[in-house]
């Protein structure tokens, strides 16, 4: 079973800053949640969170975890695409349409996957060294 590390996503997206706001993309919180992602969550979970509420670490973690570990896998399955760490990261960073339409990956997304894998490897190495 694939589980995307929220901690690593938060490091990549915002240096784990719960108050991060990207003025260009209008993404909020440590996971940089955007309005389309939040709309999808609100509809699926019958909630009415606002982007401002994504500045709450607990609330944004709830949304990010659902999106990365439930919604994206659901979309991948519906499209007949492989549920892999790379495909989940591509969908999170560049959008599911990038996979659906077989678009070339933007450099930002390629770098995103590399950062995730590097940090994941470092995390696993540290975890294994703890007695």
């Amino acid at each position: 079973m694939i589980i995307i590390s929220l901690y690593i996503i938060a490091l990549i997206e915002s240096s784990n800053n719960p108050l991060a706001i990207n003025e260009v993309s209008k993404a909020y919180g440590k996971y940089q949640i955007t309005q389309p992602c939040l709309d999808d969550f609100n509809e699926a979970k019958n909630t009415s969170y606002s982007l401002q509420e994504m500045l709450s670490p607990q609330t944004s973690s709830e949304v990010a975890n659902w999106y990365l570990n439930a919604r994206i896998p659901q979309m991948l399955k519906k499209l007949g695409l492989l549920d892999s760490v790379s495909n989940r990261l591509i969908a999170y960073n560049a959008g599911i349409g990038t996979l659906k339409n077989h678009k070339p990956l933007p450099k930002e997304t390629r770098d995103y996957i590399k950062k995730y894998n590097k940090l994941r490897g470092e995390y696993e190495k540290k975890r294994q060294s703890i007695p």
Side-chain angles (χ1 to χ4, degrees):
M1 178 184 210
I2 298 168
I3 299 291
I4 300 295
S5 168
L6 292 183
Y7 176 71
I8 295 171
I9 296 297
L11 284 176
I12 296 169
E13 290 289 344
S14 69
S15 299
N16 206 25
N17 177 2
L19 302 178
I21 299 174
N22 183 317
E23 294 296 334
V24 175
S25 67
K26 305 294 185 215
Y28 279 62
K30 62 188 199 173
Y31 305 103
Q32 293 295 277
I33 304 296
T34 60
Q35 191 65 57
C37 172
L38 186 55
D39 290 344
D40 201 9
F41 178 87
N42 282 334
E43 184 178 332
K45 298 293 187 176
N46 198 27
T47 57
S48 56
Y49 291 143
S50 68
L51 275 178
Q52 194 68 30
E53 288 174 283
M54 295 305 100
L55 300 177
S56 158
Q58 182 177 354
T59 307
S60 64
S61 292
E62 177 186 1
V63 173
N65 185 54
W66 172 81
Y67 200 68
L68 281 160
N69 293 311
R71 182 64 175 134
I72 290 174
Q74 179 186 50
M75 290 187 286
L76 291 171
K77 183 177 181 180
K78 183 178 179 182
L79 293 170
L81 299 170
L82 178 66
D83 181 15
S84 65
V85 170
S86 292
N87 278 351
R88 287 193 197 184
L89 295 174
I90 292 165
Y92 192 76
N93 181 259
I96 195 76
T98 300
L99 292 163
K100 179 182 176 182
N101 299 318
H102 308 287
K103 293 181 180 177
L105 294 185
K107 181 180 182 333
E108 174 189 338
T109 304
R110 293 190 309 269
D111 291 345
Y112 193 95
I113 294 167
K114 286 177 192 171
K115 282 182 202 174
Y116 182 89
N117 289 332
K118 180 178 186 260
L119 291 169
R120 183 74 183 184
E122 290 170 3
Y123 173 77
E124 289 298 324
K125 199 181 285 187
K126 283 181 189 175
R127 207 175 77 165
Q128 290 174 358
S129 68
I130 298 171

